[in-house]
Amino acid sequence: MIQRYTLCGMLLLIIAGLHLQIETPLTAAAQWRLLLGDTPTDFAGYQYWFSSLPRVVMALLVGAVMGLTGSVLQQLLQNPLVSPMTLGAASGAWLGLVVITLISPTLAALWGSWAAIAGAMLAVVLVVLIAGRTGLRGLPVVLAGMAVNLLLGAIASGLVLLNDQYARNLFIWGAGDLAQTDWGWVEWLLPRLWPIPVLLLLAARPLTLLRLGDTAAQGRGMNLLPVMLVLILVSLWLTSVSITAVGLIGFIGLLTPNLARMLGSRSARDEMAFSLLLGALLLLATDALALLFSQWSSNLVPSGAAAALIGAPALIWLARNRLGGGDAGRQLPEGRQQLHPLTAGLLMLTAVMLACLSLTLAPTAEGWQWSWPDELVLSLRWPRVLAAASAGAGLAVAGVVLQRLIRNPLASPDILGLSAGATLALVMSVVLFGGSIREAGPLVAFGGSLAVLALLLLLGRRHDYAPGMMALTGISLAALLDAVVQFSLARGTEDTTAILGWLAGSTYRISSSQSVLLAAGALLGILLAVLARRALTLIAIGDDFAAGRGLDRSRARILLLLLVALMTALITSMLGPIAFVGLLAPHMASMLGARRAVPQLLVAAALGLVLMLLADWFGRILIWPQQIPAGLLASVVGGSYFVWLLARRRLR
């Protein structure tokens, strides 16, 4: 054990020394004199003392906090996939900070940490309610945490976009930024880390007893609920004050306790202490890499984004090797078993009425006006209506196809990362080759979706494409790809705000030709899916059954997955990523009684169309003259449904 700590301490000193050399031209002797207390006399000295040194100290402090809290939570819940990020605490804290910052920057400066802990507590309580006590030690709590992350992240992003004067700073901060301009944040954070020695001294005994099981711990005199509550609250406090200081930095708390156990930590106190040391080492090394790349590329690379590039693959690896796939969630949603004859007619009537409302009813400076618009206004409105309807129908059909192919009701293009792949390809094409993100084209987006799809199927084969594991893998891939997107946003170029608006899934700038192309592509995709009804029916029953009926399963699955990737890429390239419509519409269709392939495809398409028309119209009128992107509203509604879907068995 002593060798482990000695080696880790030496590596920490070496990396800290190398980190300090990245941005300074000072000689070693000049640096040593500053460390001994000399006053800086030139710019290089001031930069070293007020930027480089505080950054190293902040990386050590935050990394240590993340490592320690990850270890406490994993031991408390006996779950190697638990961390402040996977429990939703990080997104909750970010949402709390965004809310108080937008209300009053002065309040944020004074009470930001309390807003962060309130948001984190809200997220964790929601996750615990969703997963239930029996789900805290397995995959359900991780799925619940990631779902809450997506939902709260969408809400926070929407608030930032509606207050674009703060957008750039908040998004860089949301990606995790360790850069310092003085010792102010270090001095602010340090006294708020007082629970660390308390945890190291007092948490070891209850965590050791919990390893024996809840019953054994209670039999030895431990009052389980108060101990768990106190440890969770202390962990949330440490996480929240760290996020307040530097923004979102995920995955460190997930990875370091697992590394500590792999390197020989056995006792509860040893794991906590070694995780603290490893967390500091890992974040410092990650930040050094981010700093080096920032200098090489002349663009800011957020430390949190660099940590995600390492941590997201680690989450996928841990999920595949430490937990079984499970089979929960393969059942279709409960509801009617037969489609009512009037359902299709009502859906068509609703769609027509919504399209007419979108074209004719809108607020103006003189109040609400309900009239057929003039030629100019009509030329601005009808492409939006057509694009929203086409995107909703196309994503709904893509969701039906995915859910039937993988036999997984948690599957959708966004949950499995296909939308993130298309987004990454489009953003990177702009970063590398310039131009507008809306002009990059569907082929670029298709390449990104196809790459994610291939990786997803390769990773999911081990667990027979189990619903929970596929969803977790897809969300992890989306987090990995989002880290690269955050790097692109942190460049601070003039079109950053435009990219942020596009990332929310907006119809603002869709042209008439683009909307017609999108409608034609969605219609063709729906037609091809209907023509493949036999394959969708047989594969949904089972591969053996499909093979017994003479279906070439591999060929059918590949062709249909290519169709899904192409539809997702086309929609994403035109409007940006739109979340949860591909999950929500197929479920609603099943609950209405559309259980067979063709009825489910058509009813889901109609429901997706209605959902996106509603989202686009409400986004245009709710806070007029400002607008909310349709994809953002759809994400909040669909994300709420996804959370309910995971919680419904618990709430019965």
Side-chain angles (χ1 to χ4, degrees):
M1 185 172 73
I2 296 177
Q3 292 179 340
R4 264 193 292 121
Y5 282 92
T6 302
L7 179 60
C8 192
M10 291 175 62
L11 283 174
L12 196 63
L13 290 174
I14 292 171
I15 293 175
L18 293 175
H19 190 295
L20 289 171
Q21 310 312 310
I22 295 174
E23 288 189 308
T24 183
L26 295 176
T27 63
Q31 294 178 50
W32 183 249
R33 286 194 297 270
L34 288 173
L35 289 173
L36 291 178
D38 277 9
T39 302
T41 57
D42 54 12
F43 176 78
Y46 278 102
Q47 183 186 41
Y48 184 83
W49 183 254
F50 290 106
S51 178
S52 299
L53 273 176
R55 181 167 183 150
V56 167
V57 174
M58 186 63 77
L60 293 173
L61 293 176
V62 174
V65 167
M66 295 299 175
L68 177 62
T69 54
S71 176
V72 170
L73 291 173
Q74 288 185 17
Q75 292 187 71
L76 188 63
L77 302 180
Q78 296 295 295
N79 189 338
L81 294 182
V82 164
S83 72
M85 185 202 70
T86 54
L87 282 180
S91 289
W94 183 38
L95 177 59
L97 283 168
V98 167
V99 169
I100 196 171
T101 300
L102 296 180
I103 292 173
S104 170
T106 303
L107 284 178
L110 295 174
W111 303 103
S113 58
W114 291 103
I117 196 170
M121 288 177 63
L122 173 67
V124 172
V125 168
L126 186 57
V127 168
V128 171
L129 288 176
I130 293 170
R133 184 172 177 179
T134 57
L136 292 178
R137 294 184 175 175
L139 193 58
V141 70
V142 181
L143 282 176
M146 300 304 271
V148 170
N149 265 327
L150 290 173
L151 176 59
L152 298 185
I155 296 172
S157 299
L159 291 174
V160 171
L161 285 170
L162 294 176
N163 297 268
D164 56 2
Q165 66 270 31
Y166 299 110
R168 189 170 300 173
N169 290 337
L170 283 177
F171 264 91
I172 294 174
W173 172 54
D177 184 18
L178 290 171
Q180 305 295 309
T181 56
D182 56 31
W183 290 91
W185 277 111
V186 173
E187 294 171 352
W188 179 91
L189 180 61
L190 196 56
R192 289 168 173 80
L193 302 183
W194 60 265
I196 289 180
V198 177
L199 279 178
L200 292 173
L201 290 173
L202 302 181
R205 182 178 182 275
L207 291 177
T208 301
L209 291 177
L210 282 171
R211 293 185 177 190
L212 303 175
D214 294 351
T215 304
Q218 289 175 326
R220 285 164 173 77
M222 190 176 85
N223 198 343
L224 193 62
L225 186 59
V227 169
M228 293 184 69
L229 184 61
V230 168
L231 290 178
I232 288 175
L233 285 176
V234 171
S235 299
L236 290 182
W237 168 259
L238 291 172
T239 300
S240 299
V241 295
S242 299
I243 288 174
T244 304
V246 299
L248 286 178
I249 295 180
F251 294 106
I252 300 294
L254 168 74
L255 191 55
T256 48
N258 286 280
L259 285 175
R261 288 188 289 272
M262 290 173 59
L263 294 173
S265 292
R266 295 294 178 261
S267 69
R269 181 174 285 113
D270 181 27
E271 183 182 322
M272 285 191 295
F274 199 50
S275 295
L276 182 147
L277 194 58
L278 280 177
L281 175 63
L282 188 59
L283 184 56
L284 187 64
T286 302
D287 187 54
L289 292 175
L291 202 57
L292 283 171
F293 192 81
S294 296
Q295 289 195 336
W296 173 74
S297 65
S298 300
N299 291 313
L300 170 67
V301 179
S303 306
L309 290 173
I310 299 171
L315 175 58
I316 297 171
W317 178 82
L318 289 169
R320 296 180 68 238
N321 289 279
R322 300 298 180 90
L323 292 178
D327 199 51
R330 285 195 187 274
Q331 298 82 11
L332 286 172
E334 295 180 0
R336 298 174 59 91
Q337 296 302 312
Q338 294 291 332
L339 187 66
H340 195 280
L342 296 178
T343 301
L346 287 174
L347 282 173
M348 291 179 62
L349 180 61
T350 302
V352 172
M353 290 178 59
L354 280 173
C356 291
L357 283 175
S358 297
L359 291 173
T360 59
L361 182 61
T364 66
E366 291 78 26
W368 285 86
Q369 285 190 359
W370 191 353
S371 62
W372 191 256
D374 57 37
E375 185 176 351
L376 175 61
V377 175
L378 183 64
S379 68
L380 296 174
R381 287 184 185 172
W382 77 257
R384 292 186 59 166
V385 172
L386 182 60
S390 303
L395 287 173
V397 168
V400 172
V401 173
L402 270 179
Q403 290 179 16
R404 285 181 167 267
L405 286 180
I406 305 177
R407 298 186 292 279
N408 181 347
L410 295 181
S412 71
D414 49 289
I415 296 295
L416 297 187
L418 300 185
S419 297
T423 301
L424 173 66
L426 290 165
V427 172
M428 290 307 296
S429 71
V430 173
V431 172
L432 296 176
F433 305 111
S436 169
I437 195 166
R438 297 179 183 274
E439 298 172 355
L443 288 179
V444 175
F446 178 62
S449 292
L450 196 60
V452 170
L453 181 62
L455 184 58
L456 189 63
L457 293 178
L458 180 65
L459 294 173
R461 182 182 301 174
R462 173 171 178 172
H463 293 289
D464 191 29
Y465 308 110
M469 193 59 64
M470 289 291 284
L472 179 61
T473 304
I475 291 171
S476 303
L477 286 173
L480 172 62
L481 299 177
D482 186 61
V484 181
V485 173
Q486 291 287 358
F487 155 64
S488 303
L489 295 178
R491 296 183 306 147
T493 57
E494 294 180 358
D495 57 359
T496 295
T497 303
I499 293 177
L500 292 178
W502 177 83
L503 286 172
S506 71
T507 57
Y508 296 165
R509 300 181 183 179
I510 193 78
S511 67
S512 57
S513 59
Q514 287 175 324
S515 64
V516 171
L517 174 62
L518 182 56
L523 187 61
L524 178 61
I526 295 170
L527 178 61
L528 292 174
V530 170
L531 292 176
R533 58 189 179 277
R534 180 173 179 270
L536 290 173
T537 301
L538 294 177
I539 291 176
I541 296 173
D543 284 350
D544 293 338
F545 184 86
R549 296 299 185 275
L551 180 70
D552 187 341
R553 297 166 299 166
S554 298
R555 181 183 177 189
R557 182 174 273 119
I558 289 172
L559 290 176
L560 285 169
L561 288 175
L562 286 174
L563 174 63
V564 169
L566 187 56
M567 291 177 68
T568 302
L570 176 63
I571 294 166
T572 304
S573 65
M574 297 292 183
L575 301 185
I578 297 174
F580 294 114
V581 173
L583 173 77
L584 183 56
H587 279 257
M588 293 177 66
S590 294
M591 289 188 287
L592 288 174
R595 303 280 169 165
R596 300 175 63 184
V598 172
Q600 189 184 16
L601 286 168
L602 297 179
V603 172
L607 287 166
L609 182 151
V610 168
L611 286 170
M612 281 300 293
L613 281 178
L614 273 173
D616 186 59
W617 186 51
F618 280 141
R620 189 155 49 89
I621 67 173
L622 281 179
I623 56 171
W624 186 88
Q626 288 185 292
Q627 297 190 34
I628 305 173
L632 187 61
L633 277 181
S635 295
V636 173
V637 174
S640 302
Y641 174 77
F642 186 37
V643 168
W644 173 84
L645 182 67
L646 293 174
R648 60 182 178 144
R649 291 186 179 180
R650 168 67 179 164
L651 297 176
R652 285 177 181 173

